[in-house]
Amino acid sequence: CNLLGMAGDAADNDEDGTRLARTLYICDLRPGLSEAELRPLLENYGEVVSLEHIDCACEEAVAVEYHSLEAAEEARRMLHFGVIRGKTARCLPLSALEGMRGKMDSARRLVVEQLDPDVEARGFHGMCGLFGQVLDCKVELGSGDDERAQGLGFVHYARDEDAEKALSFLGRMHVGASSLSVRRFRPTDMPRFSGCHYAWSLLPGAAVEDDREAGADRGEEAPRSARRRSPQERLEACSQHFRSLEYHHVEVVDGMQAKLARLVALLETYEPNQDRQAVVISAAGSVDDVLGRLHETFEAADIGVITASVSPEERREVAANWETGNIFVLVLADDISSRPDLGLGRAPAILLNLDLPSSVPLLLYRLLERSEASTRIHCLFAWSVDSRLVVPLMTAMEDAGHEMPADLVEMWSAGDQQLTDD
C-alpha cells in the first residue's frame, strides 16, 4: 500500500517501537483539507518528519510522523477531540491501532446508547477511562456541518477485564438527563459510526509489496489504486468509476439470515468458476457465518478468505490462488476490503456487498478498488442498519445514471412520511 514509505519496515528501522508512538493517525477531518492547510497546524507541536493523506479509505484521515516522542505526545494531547476547521477530530498513536488490530468485534469494544446530547467527546473519554485504558472512543456526531451529538458512542478498551468492568457499571450510570444503555459491539454497528476504518496497513507487519514500486521495477504504469491522489482527486476517481459501471443493483434485504439466503441464491445463479470469479464483502464479525453457508454449496478448496487477522504470508497465498483461478469465491472482511495492497491482480466478475460501509464515499471507494466497469455488482441494503445512507446513495445513483430500485424508493418515501407524521 502506498500510505507511508515507513510502514513496511518500521520495525526494522526502530526496533524499540518508538516510531509507532511518534506517528499519529488523525481522522474525522473535514473533507478536502490540503497538506498546506494541515502542516502549519501540526508543526506547532514539533518537527514533522512526514505527513501523508490516507488512501486506504475515503474517510478523511492523515498520518503524521514527528521527529520526537515529546512532540507527538503534545500534538495528541492538543488535537485529540480538538476542532479542526469546524469538525471534531480524533488523534490516535499507531500503537493504539496496533492494539485494536483484529479485535474490532471483540469483547473489548462496547456501544453506549442513550447518551445525553450535552455529553462531549472529552467528557465521554474521561467517563469511559474510569474503568481502564481506552484505546479509542467516540461520540457520534451529525454528518457534514451538523456537529450535534446523536446520542450514541463507542469505546474500545485495551483489556478484556476493563471492558467487562465498564459493561457492568456504565449501564447503571445516570449522566445528565439520560440513563445509559451499554452493550457489546456487534458487526451491524459498524455502519453507525464514521472514522472507524483504521488504516491497518500503516502498521509493521501489515503491509505487503507496494504495487506502485513493483510496477515501476517492471517498467509498468502504476495501477489505478496505487497512484497518489489528493482527497479531491480520489473522490473524482471514485465518482468517475461509479458512472462507468455497467451493472450496479441495490436491493433491500434486512436481517442476516435473509442476506445469507440471497447470497446463496445469487451465487447459484451466477455459478462462479475459474473464469467467472466472485468476491463477497461481509462485516468482519459475520465472516464465519458467511463461510459456513458457502461451505454448504461449494467445495472448501474453491473458497478463499482474507480478514485483518490473516498473516501477510497467508494473504499472499490467497491472492496467488485467486490470480490463477483456483479460488472461485473470495470472502473479504469489510474492514480490509478496500485496501489497495491486498494483491488481487484481477477484478471479479461478480461483486456481492453483503454489508455496506458507513458512508457512500466509502462504498464508492470500495467499488473503485474491487471492481471494473464490467463487474456485476450487487449491494444488499438493510434498512435497519443502512437507513442513513438512503438519500446520499440515491443521489449518487441518480447522478451516475443508475437505475433507482423501486423498493428502496418506496422505503425512503415511507420513512420520510413517518417523520412528517411524527
Side-chain angles (χ1 to χ4, degrees):
C1 179
N2 64 322
L3 296 175
L4 288 173
M6 59 85 177
D9 50 23
D12 294 333
N13 293 342
D14 202 357
E15 293 181 357
D16 61 4
T18 58
R19 195 168 193 182
L20 279 175
R22 288 191 287 108
T23 304
L24 304 177
Y25 178 77
I26 307 175
C27 57
D28 288 338
L29 294 171
R30 178 173 293 281
L33 282 180
S34 66
E35 179 176 343
E37 293 174 287
L38 284 170
R39 184 174 283 274
L41 170 66
L42 298 174
E43 288 179 340
N44 284 331
Y45 309 105
E47 180 183 349
V48 172
V49 175
S50 65
L51 171 63
E52 301 240 4
H53 281 277
I54 303 303
D55 291 333
C56 279
C58 271
E59 290 186 351
E60 294 299 321
V62 298
V64 54
E65 181 189 353
Y66 281 94
H67 183 267
S68 70
L69 182 59
E70 293 74 19
E73 290 176 342
E74 177 67 8
R76 170 170 159 70
R77 187 177 69 83
M78 297 301 295
L79 296 177
H80 194 42
F81 301 133
V83 177
I84 300 177
R85 294 297 179 94
K87 283 189 67 67
T88 302
R90 305 202 322 279
C91 185
L92 308 173
L94 290 198
S95 54
L97 270 66
E98 175 71 57
M100 290 186 288
R101 177 163 57 181
K103 301 182 180 69
M104 289 288 289
D105 58 345
S106 73
R108 299 180 185 182
R109 179 164 288 222
L110 306 177
V111 172
V112 182
E113 297 172 305
Q114 298 173 207
L115 274 172
D116 188 295
D118 292 331
V119 174
E120 297 181 345
R122 292 185 186 273
F124 182 63
H125 183 277
M127 179 177 66
C128 294
L130 295 173
F131 307 102
Q133 182 185 357
V134 173
L135 296 181
D136 191 18
C137 72
K138 180 183 182 178
V139 173
E140 186 65 18
L141 303 176
S143 59
D145 293 327
D146 180 11
E147 282 271 289
R148 290 177 296 178
Q150 303 297 298
L152 175 71
F154 79 83
V155 56
H156 194 118
Y157 285 97
R159 303 189 307 166
D160 291 344
E161 51 266 40
D162 296 338
E164 286 293 336
K165 193 188 307 180
L167 187 64
S168 298
F169 290 99
L170 268 178
R172 305 177 191 174
M173 294 178 65
H174 191 90
V175 179
S178 303
S179 296
L180 301 183
S181 173
V182 185
R183 59 175 174 79
R184 299 194 191 282
F185 184 90
R186 297 190 291 258
T188 53
D189 291 315
M190 195 65 185
R192 305 177 71 186
F193 296 99
S194 61
C196 298
H197 291 258
Y198 310 107
W200 302 119
S201 55
L202 287 168
L203 300 172
V208 297
E209 182 182 46
D210 188 297
D211 289 335
R212 184 184 67 251
E213 294 178 358
D217 291 341
R218 297 189 298 267
E220 299 172 0
E221 184 182 4
R224 177 181 64 242
S225 62
R227 298 190 185 113
R228 290 187 182 276
R229 294 191 182 96
S230 68
Q232 185 59 39
E233 289 172 335
R234 188 177 63 220
L235 290 172
E236 291 174 358
C238 291
S239 298
Q240 182 178 356
H241 178 68
F242 191 57
R243 289 192 295 269
S244 75
L245 298 178
E246 298 171 7
Y247 185 93
H248 172 245
H249 182 67
V250 178
E251 55 186 299
V252 178
V253 182
D254 223 336
M256 189 59 190
Q257 294 307 313
K259 284 186 174 184
L260 290 173
R262 182 57 180 153
L263 169 65
V264 171
L266 286 169
L267 290 176
E268 289 178 341
T269 299
Y270 283 117
E271 298 182 341
N273 55 42
Q274 187 174 22
D275 300 316
R276 188 169 58 247
Q277 296 165 289
V279 164
V280 177
I281 299 179
S282 164
S286 302
V287 167
D288 288 343
D289 293 332
V290 172
L291 292 174
R293 185 62 67 91
L294 292 180
H295 283 145
E296 297 174 4
T297 307
F298 296 90
E299 297 290 336
D302 297 335
I303 302 172
V305 59
I306 300 178
T307 66
S309 61
V310 170
S311 69
E313 293 75 16
E314 293 173 312
R315 187 165 65 240
R316 283 192 285 269
E317 182 179 356
V318 172
N321 285 326
W322 169 264
E323 187 72 19
T324 58
N326 292 331
I327 291 176
F328 298 170
V329 180
L330 177 60
V331 179
L332 299 178
D334 61 352
D335 54 351
I336 53 87
S337 62
S338 298
R339 281 177 47 173
D341 65 346
L342 289 184
L344 305 180
R346 57 199 290 187
I350 307 114
L351 176 61
L352 306 178
N353 291 284
L354 198 66
D355 295 285
L356 301 183
S358 58
S359 69
V360 170
L362 276 174
L363 174 61
L364 301 192
Y365 185 77
R366 177 191 291 181
L367 300 183
L368 175 70
E369 291 298 330
R370 298 279 80 90
S371 69
E372 57 189 12
S374 61
T375 301
R376 297 184 70 82
I377 299 170
H378 292 263
C379 294
L380 304 190
F381 185 100
W383 184 262
S384 61
V385 176
D386 303 320
S387 58
R388 64 188 286 182
L389 301 180
V390 63
V391 173
L393 179 58
M394 292 173 64
T395 300
M397 293 179 68
E398 184 177 23
D399 290 344
H402 295 179
E403 182 179 354
M404 306 287 282
D407 49 359
L408 190 62
V409 174
E410 182 180 348
M411 294 192 75
W412 171 75
S413 300
D416 188 53
Q417 183 61 48
Q418 183 177 0
L419 289 175
T420 303
D421 294 342
D422 292 344

